[in-house]
Structure formats: structure tokens, C-alpha cells
């Protein structure tokens, strides 16, 4: 069995790994991408792409096609059982993309993969990484592909292998945090009487739980909702209609969901994003609540930042440049974790007095320009972007 030698091995071809690979390919760095799955993601999972990620995808010449395939979202409307009480605008930002995009994760990955192909790169599918160990001049990665073993020797390793990262475990890095008590329901479904305009995402906070509704391309809506009780593995039309009714929403399903699922959410950040020349990025390094759709966007920024630094160092720059990855991206992940946690806990309030205070506070604060601008910069990710840091 021949060992493939490369400058950078990327383990995981989700949005994070594909961004890193496309960036390395664009900068002419030899790399290998390994993914355990036979096929890319086929479902809509992370369906909101923010301005900061669009700017990074533009650097990879992948943004225009994505924008053409998505639905523009200009504001997030916060409501409770008494109606809307605050609006978070996404348009008043200094960006080529003054909006967010509702687009299935499968589309984002397809466009990134095509771009990687145009740049001469590819993903080695059905390659499951099992072990990682130091070897002279780098690391040895071993695993199984289509029943047979494979070996890759890499100077640098990127663990972009998701929340259950084998690379994180092999590098001895821990992933402290906890799980939210509520389950999350997810459904892509055509709706009658949706709670917001086509260019808005509606967040409705009822005592029964939080319901987020936003439009996807092709006329369907994405619903994400917290549920305190049991949720079936693939919630059907009547489950979704009951949920909408209990939360005081007029919307009802117009057809069976195209896709539905349930998931539990954790909030965790790896203690380190780096062990020597092994790096963590994306969900392997941080997971958080889906509030304001930050997961995939943060991973895209990690992948872009790390690949840019690795390309420079492989090209002869001072390896100290790599130190900034952990400093910048761990701080970005911590900020995302903090504000998504605050938003999630505020949205889940059940005490009537606390809910009234939330309504007044959020309604007032989101109209104060400096506060409003700070919230917009948090949500769009622009201040945390590698493109906006000195
Ligand atoms: C049902 C669902 C709904 C979601 N909804 C939202 C949302 O609304 N908003 C949001 O922001 N985020 C959402 N997320 C999270 C979002 O999908 C992730 O944040 C995003 O996919 C992270 O990208 P990633 O590339 O870091 O990791 P992943 O997308 O998890 O990719 C990791 C890749 O690594 C591969 N891999 C794993 N182990 C190995 C191994 N040992 N060897 C080789 N390859 C390996 C996997 O096959 C996979 O392709 C959702 C996720 C799910 C599952």
C-alpha cells in the first residue's frame, strides 16, 4: 500500500473542509481531502448563509452562483404571542452582500465542491480516518477505504470532521460544554399564511417553545422549533400543524414536508484548536445553538482563515503565523457561543414577567443605533470575519 504524501490533509468534506480545500487549491497548495461518506450532504441542514460567509465564498469565486440559487433574507423579526416586538436588519452593513441567504446546505456544498473541482481538487470519498499519529516530518493518517486500508502522510492536518471528530480525539483535545434540554424539530415544507414576508425570517417565542420560519428557494419554508416533549424521528404534517397552532401561528402546512428531522443541540468549544501541526475547524472545534444560523458560517470562516495561513507557511512564511488561527478563531467561536446561548435562553423564557421584560427590553434596545449595529455585526459575522481583521 503506497503512502500518499501531501502538505495538508483535510479530514472531512463538509462546508468547513470544502472551504479549506478550495482555498488551498486556489493558492496552489498540495492537499488531500478525505471523507468517510460516499456522497455529499443531500439535505438542507444549515440553511442560512450570512454576509460574512458570502464575502469569503466570493474570494473563492463561489458566491454569485450561491446567491442566484438562494432566497435573500433582509431582516429577522422577533415576535411573541402578542405579535412582533423587534426587528434585526441585515441590510445596513458595509458589505457587497447586505443580506443573508436562505439556501440548503446541500446547495452550498455542491457549489463549493464544483469550485474545488475547477481548481483541480477533489474529495476522496468513502475514506474513513481511524488513526492519526506523529511521524517524521508530519503526521501519519490511517484508515479504511472501500474495505481496504489507506495511509496519508501530511505535514499539516485539518480536522474538519464534525462534532464527533476523530481527529480531535486522536490529538487529545477535549470538548467541554453541555446539551440544551429541549429537542429541535426541523421541517422543510410549503406553508399557507407564513408568519413573515419572503425576505424575512420570523422568530416566534411562545410559552410552548420557539419557532423559526424562513423561506427557502423553490417556495418551501424552513421551520426550526424547540420542543420540550417527545418528537418523532421524522415529524409529519399533522405534528407540524399542531405545533404551529399551539404557538398561535396562523401558518399551516400546504403539503407533506419535503424533509423533516429532529436533533439535540449542544454548546461546546474545544479547549484548544491546535495540537502542534494538527488543527480543528468547524463543528470539530465548536458547536452551538442554531439561533441566528451561525454553525456553518463560523466553520466556513475557520476553513478559509486556516487555509490562508497554511498556504503562507507552506510557501515559506514564518510558522508563527499559524498561532493567530487559534487566537482569532477560538475568540470568534467563543463570541458565537456566548450570543447564541444568550439568544436561546432568552427565547426559551417561560415566566410571564420575564417574557414581558424581554419584549420591552428587546423592542427598545434594537432601536438604539449602537446596540442595533452591534447585534447586526454579531448576527452577520462581519466583525469576526478573517477579511475584516487587521
Ligand atoms: C439536521 C441538521 C440541521 C442543522 N441546521 C442548522 C441550522 O439551521 N443552522 C446552522 O448554522 N447549522 C445547522 N446545522 C449544523 C451545520 O450543519 C454544521 O454546523 C455544519 O455542517 C458544520 O460543517 P462542518 O464542515 O464543520 O462539519 P460537517 O458538516 O459535520 O462535516 C464533517 C464531515 O466529516 C466527515 N467525517 C466525520 N468523521 C470522519 C472520519 N473519521 N473520517 C473521514 N471523514 C469523516 C463527515 O462524513 C462529514 O462529511 C444543522 C445540522 C444538522 C445535522
Amino acid at each position: 500500500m503506497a503512502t500518499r504524501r501531501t502538505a495538508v490533509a483535510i479530514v472531512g468534506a463538509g462546508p468547513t473542509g470544502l472551504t479549506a480545500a478550495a482555498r488551498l487549491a486556489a493558492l496552489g497548495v498540495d492537499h488531500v481531502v478525505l471523507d468517510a461518506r460516499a456522497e455529499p450532504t443531500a439535505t438542507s441542514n444549515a440553511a442560512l448563509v450570512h454576509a460574512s460567509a458570502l464575502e469569503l465564498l466570493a474570494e473563492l469565486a463561489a458566491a454569485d452562483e450561491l446567491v442566484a440559487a438562494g432566497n435573500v433574507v433582509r431582516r429577522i423579526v422577533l415576535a411573541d404571542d402578542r405579535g412582533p416586538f423587534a426587528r434585526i436588519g441585515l441590510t445596513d452593513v458595509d458589505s457587497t452582500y447586505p443580506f443573508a441567504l436562505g439556501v440548503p446546505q446541500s446547495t452550498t456544498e455542491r457549489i463549493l465542491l464544483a469550485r474545488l473541482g475547477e481548481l483541480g481538487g477533489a474529495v476522496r470519498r468513502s475514506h474513513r480516518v481511524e488513526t492519526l499519529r506523529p511521524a517524521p516530518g508530519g503526521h501519519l493518517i490511517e484508515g479504511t477505504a472501500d474495505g481496504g486500508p489507506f495511509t496519508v502522510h501530511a505535514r499539516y492536518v485539518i480536522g474538519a470532521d464534525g462534532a464527533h471528530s476523530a481527529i480531535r480525539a486522536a490529538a487529545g483535545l477535549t470538548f467541554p460544554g453541555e446539551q440544551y434540554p429541549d429537542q429541535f424539530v426541523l421541517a422543510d415544507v410549503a406553508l399557507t399564511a407564513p408568519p413573515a414576508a419572503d425576505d424575512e425570517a420570523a422568530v416566534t417565542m411562545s410559552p410552548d417553545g420557539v419557532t423559526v420560519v424562513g423561506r427557502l428557494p423553490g417556495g418551501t419554508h424552513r421551520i426550526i422549533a424547540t420542543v420540550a416533549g417527545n418528537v418523532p424521528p421524522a415529524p409529519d404534517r399533522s405534528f407540524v400543524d399542531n405545533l404551529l397552532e399551539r404557538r398561535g401561528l396562523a401558518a399551516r402546512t400546504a403539503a407533506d414536508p419535503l424533509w423533516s428531522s429532529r436533533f439535540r443541540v449542544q454548546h461546546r468549544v474545544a479547549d484548544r484548536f491546535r495540537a502542534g501541526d494538527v488543527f480543528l475547524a468547524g463543528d470539530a472545534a465548536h458547536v452551538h445553538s442554531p439561533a441566528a444560523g451561525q454553525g456553518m458560517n463560523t466553520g466556513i470562516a475557520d476553513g478559509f482563515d486556516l487555509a490562508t495561513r497554511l498556504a503562507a507557511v507552506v510557501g515559506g512564511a514564518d510558522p508563527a503565523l499559524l498561532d493567530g488561527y487559534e487566537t482569532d478563531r477560538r475568540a470568534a467561536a467563543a463570541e458565537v457561543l456566548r450570543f447564541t446561548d444568550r439568544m436561546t435562553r432568552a427565547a426559551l423564557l417561560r415566566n410571564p414577567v420575564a417574557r414581558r421584560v424581554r419584549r420591552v427590553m428587546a423592542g427598545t434596545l434594537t432601536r438604539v443605533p449602537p446596540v442595533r449595529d452591534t447585534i447586526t455585526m454579531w448576527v452577520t459575522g462581519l466583525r469576526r470575519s478573517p477579511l475584516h481583521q487587521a
Side-chain angles (χ1 to χ4, degrees), residues 190-282:
L191 288 180
T192 59
D198 280 354
D199 65 348
E200 294 176 342
V203 181
T204 306
M205 307 168 191
S206 87
D208 191 60
V210 186
T211 314
V212 182
V213 181
R215 215 181 79 100
L216 289 174
T220 54
H221 281 80
R222 151 61 69 88
I223 300 176
I224 302 187
T226 61
V227 176
N230 284 334
V231 178
D236 63 9
R237 203 172 158 180
S238 72
F239 183 95
V240 175
D241 281 334
N242 278 334
L243 183 132
L244 293 168
E245 190 180 355
R246 279 200 315 275
R247 287 160 190 211
L249 289 162
R252 293 292 178 271
T253 60
D256 287 330
L258 288 180
W259 176 60
S260 67
S261 187
R262 66 176 177 189
F263 60 106
R264 286 207 176 268
V265 175
Q266 324 238 345
H267 52 132
R268 299 178 183 277
V269 181
D271 56 339
R272 308 272 327 265
F273 280 19
R274 175 181 189 184
D277 291 332
V278 178
F279 298 84
L280 299 181

Side-chain angles (χ1 to χ4, degrees), residues 139 155-157 171 173 272-279 322-323:
H139 283 81
R155 175 76 186 84
Y156 298 100
V157 178
L173 300 173
R272 308 272 327 265
F273 280 19
R274 175 181 189 184
D277 291 332
V278 178
F279 298 84
L322 295 172
D323 298 342

Side-chain angles (χ1 to χ4, degrees), residues 11-17 34-37 45-47 105 109 127-129 160-163 166 186 222 224 259 261 263 281-284 290 293-297 299:
V11 183
T16 304
L34 305 161
D35 197 291
R37 287 187 309 193
N45 304 9
Q105 183 169 330
E109 288 191 21
H127 278 59
R128 175 169 295 281
V129 171
D161 51 343
L186 195 150
R222 151 61 69 88
I224 302 187
W259 176 60
S261 187
F263 60 106
D283 275 18
Q294 299 296 318
M296 182 179 74
N297 292 273

